[in-house]
Amino acid sequence: MNLLRWLVCPVVCLALLCGLPAQAGVLDKAALAQRFPPPLTVGDKVAEVPAWPLFKQNGTMTELVGYAFESIDLAPVPGFAGVPVNLLVVIDPKGTFLDVAVLSQHEPVFLEGLGEAPLRQFVSQYRGLSLGQNIDLGGARSPGGAGTDAGRAHLDGVSKATASVRIINQSILSAALKVARARLGFAGDRDPGRLARIRSDLFQSMPLQQLLDAGLVHHVRVLNRDVERLFAGSEGAGLDPQALARPDAVFADLYLTWASVPAIGRNLLAPRSWNRLQGRLEPGDHALLVMSAGPYAIGGDDFVRGSIPRRIVLRQDKLPFEMRDLDIEPRLADGVRLPVTELLALRVIGQAGLDPARALDFALPVVRSKGIVYPERIVREIRFSYRLPPDYWTAPQAAAPSWQASWQAHRLQLALLGGALALLALALLAQRRLVAHARRFAWLRRGWLLFTVVGIGYVFRGQLSIVNLTGALQALLAGRGLGFLLFDPMTVALWGFVLVSLLIWGRGTFCGWLCPFGALQEFAAEAGRLLRLPQAKPGRRLDAHLKRIKYGVLAVILLAALFAPAQADRLVEIEPFKTAITLNFVRAWPYVAYAAGLLALSAFVYKGFCRYLCPLGAGLAVLGRLRLLDWIPRRAECGTPCQTCRHRCGYGAIAPGGKVDYGECFQCLECVVIHESDTQCAPRILARKRGRTIVIVPLDATTDRRR
């Protein structure tokens, strides 16, 4: 039976499986209405982003409560199965989380073992947090759980699922920020936690003229002729008789400044107005002071205190920002003389992400009407910019990718792992010296396998898995990239070493030296020999057929990952790695029984799972065909006639003719030990015997006669 026959059956079986589900939201308006019953009502999905507004009747007014949306629609960050977690997120109009709920997830650590309960508890911590805060995982916190301080929130992570919760955190924040930017006026594509900050410690007494000269107060004067020039060539030209009659008269005279900067506000405003302004601002909010004179009033005839003035617009990086009147009727400080008739203190909330380091682009919309019954409105804008001098703000630190926090947290473990891998590489490169003393080598290998189980497996959580391959495959096909892998630094470091070792030695480096479950099987096999348990060793033909099973298993899992991800999540459970290593056997009893049964099987059938069933081993064997070296030393006598290495090889990786099958070799180096031994290698034993033979030379007859 060839390999093709082993693959035909899995392909036929997969044709019966369900198709690939679309990576999109699963809730509609009716489903959301069931989740948010009266007095809440669900509005129609908005046009800009896939989000539903939630409303509540408040007397005679309909009040916007927030927006509900699915994270998979906005930020499909793939998890470790390559499939994004889907969460229902609700934020209020200020960007505060009202709720986060799990709709679906494929994270291996939460499917079984830990279960979803820790995940649901984790996402519940977002309630009450704001998008304007920096949200840290596993940081210092208050005794009650998730802690908060000024502008920062700390969430409890999930033990054994650190990388998964970091991916989930990124999904929640990325999705919520997209909605907030589209519907709540949040800052473009910038992180509100990475903006420049106003310096509150800088103040010196300065008169008005010095404030103007320093660029802290911006003065704009617009004449009628300037306005008429804006409308030139349009239907609005010549419609203002006053502008035509007095072209040099002032249309608008404005003084504009960043009032919440202490160096400005304390110099311009009366102490009582300054204190009232400070009392109205929440942390992170900004206040702008607009002082005007002339016919163009910022508030306009219908302006109401506490509302949004319609005759001035603020933008930054082409994104509009809402400015709302603080309703404090500000007064100028004694000694500040300005020819203004209107003063407005306007607030921009901190969640909007206004950046003090960037220019503020203002516009004064001027409207002219033509016609009587259905007048045509012609709008032009008077535009100007104002930039706060750099001495009055502190630059933000460069935003670091979110995965870097995980690498920082594991830097000690990464250093230890890197040192261990470097030591292993040097030892394998000098394999003949390594195996020079067979007994010493046996104990060195046992010591390393113990480190693999305890260190790489249970301490570093570095058990590689077929899930790494299926997750990467699904992410690439969905166009999501492989950035999600960076959230698990130990896995990335191990994969980097394994991929290099595949080019040099083939699959054996991982399977024989770095797989924690493989090491457990080897210890189980050694225990079986010590206990004198019967050892089953299939014949050469049966062994060859059994080894093909793992390639069929690999094909089934990879095809399921492409066409039926939900089935792939179940099929990968053929690997006992998650049960035995990741979850420390703390799992439902069928999974524990399966993993323990495979270890017990190894006491009778040497590393049976690795040789016959392991899909990851099959994948590495396929990739190992790119190997550059045939690194196992051979002699002409190997196989013809010497069969010592073949009979001693527990993996059946040596053919009767002496050729090594590197796809099945686990790099245990037992054959190299034999090759270098004067007491085990038959050709060397024969050579030694020949060296000890005494050659008897017959006496010459003449010589004998002389004696």
Side-chain angles (χ1 to χ4, degrees):
M1 185 181 296
N2 55 33
L3 182 59
L4 180 61
R5 293 183 181 178
W6 284 97
L7 296 179
V8 169
C9 184
V11 172
V12 173
C13 293
L14 281 170
L16 303 177
L17 297 177
C18 60
L20 177 67
Q23 296 301 323
V26 296
L27 299 178
D28 55 17
K29 186 175 180 179
L32 283 168
Q34 294 180 354
R35 288 177 173 267
F36 303 103
L40 296 178
T41 58
V42 180
D44 294 329
K45 185 183 289 187
V46 298
E48 296 94 327
V49 288
W52 287 268
L54 303 178
F55 300 101
K56 181 179 181 181
Q57 196 69 25
N58 187 2
T60 60
M61 297 181 61
T62 300
E63 176 185 349
L64 176 66
V65 175
Y67 289 93
F69 48 91
E70 295 179 66
S71 63
I72 202 168
D73 284 332
L74 296 152
V77 182
F80 279 92
V83 181
V85 173
N86 191 20
L87 305 124
L88 177 62
V89 184
V90 186
I91 58 174
D92 72 6
K94 289 188 175 181
T96 300
F97 287 99
L98 298 179
D99 194 17
V100 178
V102 179
L103 295 177
S104 65
Q105 58 90 19
H106 298 263
E107 293 302 283
V109 72
F110 292 125
L111 286 175
E112 292 291 343
L114 294 180
E116 279 198 355
L119 175 58
R120 297 182 186 280
Q121 184 177 359
F122 169 74
V123 300
S124 69
Q125 298 176 89
Y126 286 88
R127 294 171 191 158
L129 300 184
S130 169
L131 284 170
Q133 296 172 295
N134 287 327
I135 297 178
D136 297 333
L137 299 181
R141 60 181 178 85
S142 61
T148 60
D149 54 33
R152 187 171 296 274
H154 307 281
L155 301 183
D156 288 334
V158 179
S159 178
K160 303 177 184 176
T162 303
S164 290
V165 297
R166 288 188 183 278
I167 292 174
I168 291 166
N169 178 63
Q170 185 187 43
S171 302
I172 294 171
L173 295 182
S174 298
L177 280 170
K178 286 184 179 180
V179 174
R181 289 161 185 160
R183 302 299 297 176
L184 307 180
F186 275 56
D189 59 354
R190 302 187 306 277
D191 181 353
R194 297 291 182 180
L195 304 176
R197 301 297 180 188
I198 296 293
R199 290 189 61 181
S200 59
D201 60 333
L202 186 62
F203 173 78
Q204 67 179 43
S205 180
M206 289 186 285
L208 175 61
Q209 190 57 50
Q210 190 174 349
L211 293 172
L212 288 165
D213 294 340
L216 294 171
V217 177
H218 188 63
H219 182 207
V220 178
R221 175 174 287 185
V222 182
L223 304 181
N224 283 334
R225 67 159 54 93
D226 301 323
V227 178
E228 190 63 35
R229 195 178 296 119
L230 289 175
F231 288 94
S234 72
E235 295 294 327
L239 294 181
D240 187 350
Q242 191 73 13
L244 295 176
R246 302 177 59 193
D248 293 329
V250 173
F251 176 79
D253 196 6
L254 272 73
Y255 292 86
L256 189 141
T257 189
W258 207 306
S260 53
V261 177
I264 301 173
R266 289 176 57 187
N267 281 308
L268 274 182
L269 297 175
R272 184 177 180 183
S273 293
W274 168 254
N275 292 334
R276 291 189 66 189
L277 181 142
Q278 290 294 101
R280 293 291 182 90
L281 298 179
E282 296 181 5
D285 288 355
H286 303 284
L288 303 172
L289 184 64
V290 182
M291 303 164 283
S292 66
Y296 190 88
I298 298 300
D301 298 334
D302 58 349
F303 177 69
V304 177
R305 285 287 181 180
S307 65
I308 301 170
R310 302 300 179 187
R311 303 184 75 179
I312 186 169
V313 176
L314 169 62
R315 301 184 183 95
Q316 191 173 68
D317 297 333
K318 300 181 180 181
L319 179 75
F321 285 77
E322 180 183 274
M323 297 186 295
R324 185 175 292 274
D325 178 55
L326 281 170
D327 192 17
I328 62 173
E329 297 185 4
R331 296 289 183 267
L332 296 178
D334 294 340
V336 177
R337 298 288 184 263
L338 282 174
V340 295
T341 57
E342 181 183 41
L343 281 83
L344 295 179
L346 307 175
R347 180 179 70 171
V348 179
I349 62 173
Q351 293 93 330
L354 192 66
D355 192 347
R358 296 173 176 263
L360 306 182
D361 299 319
F362 291 94
L364 308 178
V366 182
V367 182
R368 290 183 177 180
S369 301
K370 183 178 182 179
I372 298 176
V373 180
Y374 296 105
E376 178 185 358
R377 290 166 53 88
I378 302 98
V379 182
R380 295 291 184 269
E381 290 184 344
I382 302 168
R383 298 178 182 178
F384 58 93
S385 295
Y386 164 63
R387 185 185 289 272
L388 187 65
D391 291 342
Y392 296 90
W393 48 264
T394 56
Q397 295 181 351
S402 53
W403 54 263
Q404 283 191 8
S406 183
W407 287 75
Q408 288 291 333
H410 291 84
R411 57 184 180 272
L412 178 59
Q413 291 181 338
L414 285 168
L416 293 173
L417 178 62
L421 294 178
L423 181 62
L424 176 63
L426 291 174
L428 295 179
L429 288 171
Q431 57 182 349
R432 293 195 176 187
R433 295 181 60 183
L434 181 65
V435 303
H437 301 282
R439 189 175 182 83
R440 182 185 65 184
F441 170 73
W443 282 105
L444 287 174
R445 178 164 170 78
R446 292 188 189 103
W448 179 269
L449 293 178
L450 183 62
F451 165 76
T452 296
V453 173
V454 178
I456 295 178
Y458 294 119
V459 176
F460 297 160
R461 302 290 172 187
Q463 173 71 69
L464 302 188
S465 168
I466 190 61
V467 173
N468 304 139
L469 299 182
T470 57
L473 179 62
Q474 289 180 320
L476 289 174
L477 290 175
R480 292 189 291 262
L482 300 179
F484 70 97
L485 295 173
L486 295 174
F487 286 88
D488 189 354
M490 307 307 293
T491 298
V492 172
L494 274 169
W495 267 115
F497 181 84
V498 169
L499 290 176
V500 172
S501 70
L502 283 172
L503 295 175
I504 303 174
W505 298 293
R507 81 176 268 201
T509 306
F510 171 75
C511 295
W513 295 88
L514 295 173
C515 178
F517 189 77
L520 281 178
Q521 287 185 92
E522 196 153 335
F523 284 130
E526 191 161 343
R529 286 193 293 267
L530 291 174
L531 294 173
R532 300 179 182 274
L533 298 179
Q535 300 296 302
K537 192 171 183 179
R540 185 167 61 87
R541 185 181 296 273
L542 176 60
D543 181 66
H545 288 323
L546 291 175
K547 285 175 179 175
R548 293 172 181 169
I549 296 176
K550 61 179 177 288
Y551 295 101
V553 173
L554 173 66
V556 170
I557 291 175
L558 292 181
L559 289 172
L562 295 178
F563 301 108
Q567 299 299 327
D569 292 342
R570 297 180 178 90
L571 290 172
V572 296
E573 291 295 347
I574 196 170
E575 279 188 343
F577 303 164
K578 181 170 64 175
T579 300
I581 305 300
T582 306
L583 299 176
N584 300 351
F585 290 98
V586 180
R587 204 177 184 192
W589 73 264
Y591 295 96
V592 175
Y594 173 66
L598 289 176
L599 290 177
L601 177 66
S602 292
F604 300 91
V605 181
Y606 186 67
K607 297 184 78 167
F609 173 78
C610 295
R611 294 162 61 194
Y612 304 133
L613 290 177
C614 182
L616 179 61
L620 293 177
V622 173
L623 294 174
R625 294 183 181 275
L626 301 174
R627 182 190 76 259
L628 300 176
L629 303 176
D630 288 344
W631 53 271
I632 297 178
R634 300 277 81 191
R635 289 192 172 89
E637 297 88 350
C638 293
T640 53
C642 183
Q643 298 288 313
T644 304
C645 290
R646 183 173 78 86
H647 290 305
R648 296 272 190 91
C649 180
Y651 302 97
I654 301 177
K659 184 178 179 180
V660 176
D661 182 358
Y662 285 92
E664 298 300 330
C665 174
F666 282 59
Q667 204 171 359
C668 67
L669 301 183
E670 182 63 30
C671 60
V672 182
V673 171
I674 296 172
H675 184 275
E676 299 300 311
S677 173
D678 288 334
T679 60
Q680 298 185 65
C681 178
R684 292 182 67 135
I685 293 173
L686 289 174
R688 288 184 63 194
K689 286 183 176 180
R690 291 193 190 100
R692 292 175 182 174
T693 300
I694 300 175
V695 180
I696 301 176
V697 180
L699 294 176
D700 187 270
T702 307
T703 306
D704 187 63
R705 282 194 299 268
R706 288 176 181 175
R707 291 182 178 180

